[in-house]
Amino acid sequence: MAVNCATSSSLFISKPSNKPSPSSVTTTPFLGFSLAASTKPAVQSKRLFKICCHDKPAVIPAEQQWMFDDLTGPDVWNKTWYPKAKDHIPTSKTWYVVDASDKILGRLASTIAIHIRGKNLATYTPSVDMGAHVIVVNAEKIAVSGKKRTLKLYRRHSGRPGGMTVETFDQLQKRVPERIIEHAVRGMLPKGRLGRSLFTHLKVYTGPDHPHEAQQPKELPIRDKRITKQT
Amino acid sequence: MYASTPPRSCMQHKLAKGFRGRAKNCIRIARERVEKALQYSYRDRRNKKRDMRSLWIQRINAGTRQHGHALSSFSPATAVYSPVTTDRPILIFVAIFSFHTRVNYGNFMHGLMKENIQLNRKVLSEISMHEPYSFKALVDVSHSAFPGNKAAAAPKKEGLAILL
């Protein structure tokens, strides 16, 4: 792969304190030697950025010799990282707990879905479950703004003609309060096989107790500043 | 009419390994499916480049937001004189949430461009995953170069409404 040697002015950062400065020395971080010595004349202007010195032996400084000792392993530097099985062991996932009292339904569901899906992690992969488990307690105290408490409708259909059932937010909260949060989060998770298994990582409970103390859940970090109902 | 051709002498039949149902056995169906598979692979060799870049961007976004929460902070509550009252000015203490220190992908890349750091998104995503301290250094560099667009400096309207 042709390396853009003229623009590789930024060094691969090994010391966090150094600010990378655009230097005039054209050093490739991986080869460790200056490409300015390549003497092939630029015949075509578009071909300037090619490595012209494959025939010369690479001069590796002594402190970087360890990097080039064993090049037989997999190429982790040029291939995008994909998680292996040991990177997403289900038993070592993080568990979060969040109290739903007086939180706005949609904003809370959005934060929960982001954590369940793993989109807050730099190791996010769409095809792999890298997310955390989330426990929601006090589900019956969830809040909605405006007149949604009496006007928001929840519909379901049994499949048969005339089998549509419509309930308001209030009625559903009296009947099965957990379903409100589950419905909201399920709508925000991806639909598909993986989405369905992600949904099983959400645990919703009415009341302040939950049976998952053994998992030592942490407090869910919420960044949304408007998530608490303004009274 | 043959239900299935015995030896896999046909090239298309060989390419149909692993297909579902009759498409792996029967040459008539296999031929169609293999044609489709080859079309998809042509299209997806181009799509793969787009998908990969999108994945890198998502990973960088997640990484910067993780670090950014240490950087973003509340600015101290400022006193604002109410313009509404008639004779005496009323001090309204409004805490302005400093959104202007928001660290996300957009601000991060803008800061890097300003600093002329030409690491590409693939490398940045790998750094954000495997070299967290180096990535934090990059986030700091970018943040010092471009702290983010300042939010509208006007105090929130509900600050006035509480008083009135």
Side-chain angles (χ1 to χ4, degrees):
Chain A
M1 199 162 84
V3 169
N4 214 341
C5 60
T7 54
S8 63
S9 51
S10 58
L11 306 171
F12 189 77
I13 298 168
S14 50
K15 297 175 208 161
S17 53
N18 282 350
K19 182 171 146 176
S21 53
S23 59
S24 56
V25 178
T26 52
T27 52
T28 331
F30 299 104
L31 294 178
F33 63 97
S34 169
L35 285 180
S38 66
T39 51
K40 215 171 206 176
V43 179
Q44 299 125 24
S45 57
K46 290 203 176 127
R47 291 276 193 101
L48 269 178
F49 305 133
K50 218 170 177 178
I51 295 182
C52 309
C53 32
H54 276 302
D55 50 338
K56 300 198 186 106
V59 175
I60 304 169
E63 65 268 12
Q64 293 180 15
Q65 184 60 47
W66 63 273
M67 292 190 215
F68 299 93
D69 273 340
D70 178 27
L71 291 175
T72 51
D75 179 12
V76 296
W77 304 275
N78 290 319
K79 291 204 161 87
T80 305
W81 180 80
Y82 191 83
K84 298 212 182 310
K86 64 172 163 54
D87 297 314
H88 59 280
I89 311 172
T91 41
S92 54
K93 281 193 199 291
T94 347
W95 282 72
Y96 292 108
V97 69
V98 64
D99 188 352
S101 355
D102 296 328
K103 295 217 162 50
I104 301 287
L105 173 63
R107 291 173 186 274
L108 178 66
S110 173
T111 321
I112 294 174
I114 286 174
H115 282 267
I116 290 184
R117 196 158 180 222
K119 289 206 86 169
N120 54 322
L121 304 169
T123 48
Y124 164 69
T125 314
S127 58
V128 167
D129 176 15
M130 308 286 293
H133 289 74
V134 177
I135 307 167
V136 183
V137 290
N138 284 325
E140 74 282 3
K141 300 202 180 71
I142 196 90
V144 285
S145 58
K147 295 189 190 165
K148 288 195 261 265
R149 205 163 272 279
T150 44
L151 290 184
K152 180 169 168 69
L153 295 177
Y154 286 88
R155 297 164 207 269
R156 60 184 194 274
H157 201 283
S158 67
R160 294 164 167 212
M164 170 107 119
T165 323
V166 183
E167 275 182 300
T168 60
F169 183 96
D170 240 346
Q171 292 166 348
L172 189 58
Q173 206 173 40
K174 286 195 197 81
R175 213 165 60 88
V176 190
E178 296 93 345
R179 200 171 286 179
I180 288 179
I181 300 187
E182 288 174 357
H183 184 274
V185 175
R186 195 192 286 128
M188 299 187 185
L189 288 173
K191 324 284 182 290
R193 222 185 279 182
L194 181 62
R196 287 192 289 276
S197 68
L198 288 179
F199 177 68
T200 58
H201 294 169
L202 169 73
K203 316 280 181 195
V204 187
Y205 299 100
T206 47
D209 303 317
H210 62 87
H212 302 288
E213 293 298 342
Q215 276 70 32
Q216 294 156 4
K218 302 187 287 216
E219 197 62 42
L220 182 77
I222 295 181
R223 295 292 148 192
D224 194 344
K225 297 182 178 70
R226 294 160 67 184
I227 201 172
T228 318
K229 187 166 174 72
Q230 310 293 333
T231 44
Chain B
M1 188 184 87
Y2 296 107
S4 61
T5 51
R8 286 177 178 267
S9 47
C10 178
M11 164 77 157
Q12 281 171 325
H13 205 165
K14 278 194 206 105
L15 288 171
K17 281 196 181 177
F19 284 17
R20 195 177 201 195
R22 271 191 284 167
K24 65 180 179 300
N25 296 326
C26 311
I27 191 64
R28 287 183 176 190
I29 302 172
R31 223 170 249 161
E32 292 172 21
R33 294 282 103 215
V34 164
E35 264 178 34
K36 212 43 186 280
L38 292 171
Q39 287 172 13
Y40 286 147
S41 85
Y42 178 88
R43 177 201 71 182
D44 289 330
R45 278 196 290 278
R46 286 131 181 83
N47 283 356
K48 186 155 119 177
K49 299 157 179 49
R50 310 177 206 165
D51 295 336
M52 279 291 154
R53 185 174 158 125
S54 150
L55 175 64
W56 300 330
I57 292 176
Q58 291 178 48
R59 284 183 169 165
I60 297 170
N61 200 358
T64 52
R65 283 170 196 260
Q66 272 184 334
H67 288 298
H69 296 318
L71 283 171
S72 67
S73 57
F74 292 165
S75 68
T78 55
V80 172
Y81 283 86
S82 154
V84 182
T85 54
T86 52
D87 33 34
R88 55 187 169 83
I90 301 172
L91 286 179
I92 302 172
F93 285 91
V94 174
I96 300 178
F97 299 123
S98 53
F99 293 115
H100 62 269
T101 58
R102 198 68 187 279
V103 178
N104 48 21
Y105 171 81
N107 295 343
F108 174 65
M109 296 306 288
H110 190 63
L112 288 191
M113 293 303 146
K114 277 197 153 183
E115 288 289 315
N116 195 23
I117 295 174
Q118 302 196 354
L119 293 171
N120 59 7
R121 283 144 184 89
K122 173 162 126 182
V123 158
L124 282 171
S125 72
E126 297 292 313
I127 296 176
S128 79
M129 285 192 283
H130 302 305
E131 313 281 337
Y133 295 110
S134 307
F135 193 68
K136 176 87 172 100
L138 277 172
V139 169
D140 291 334
V141 163
S142 158
H143 191 73
S144 64
F146 182 70
N149 292 317
K150 306 245 179 278
K156 289 202 187 348
K157 297 222 179 92
E158 50 217 38
L160 297 172
I162 285 172
L163 208 62
L164 297 170

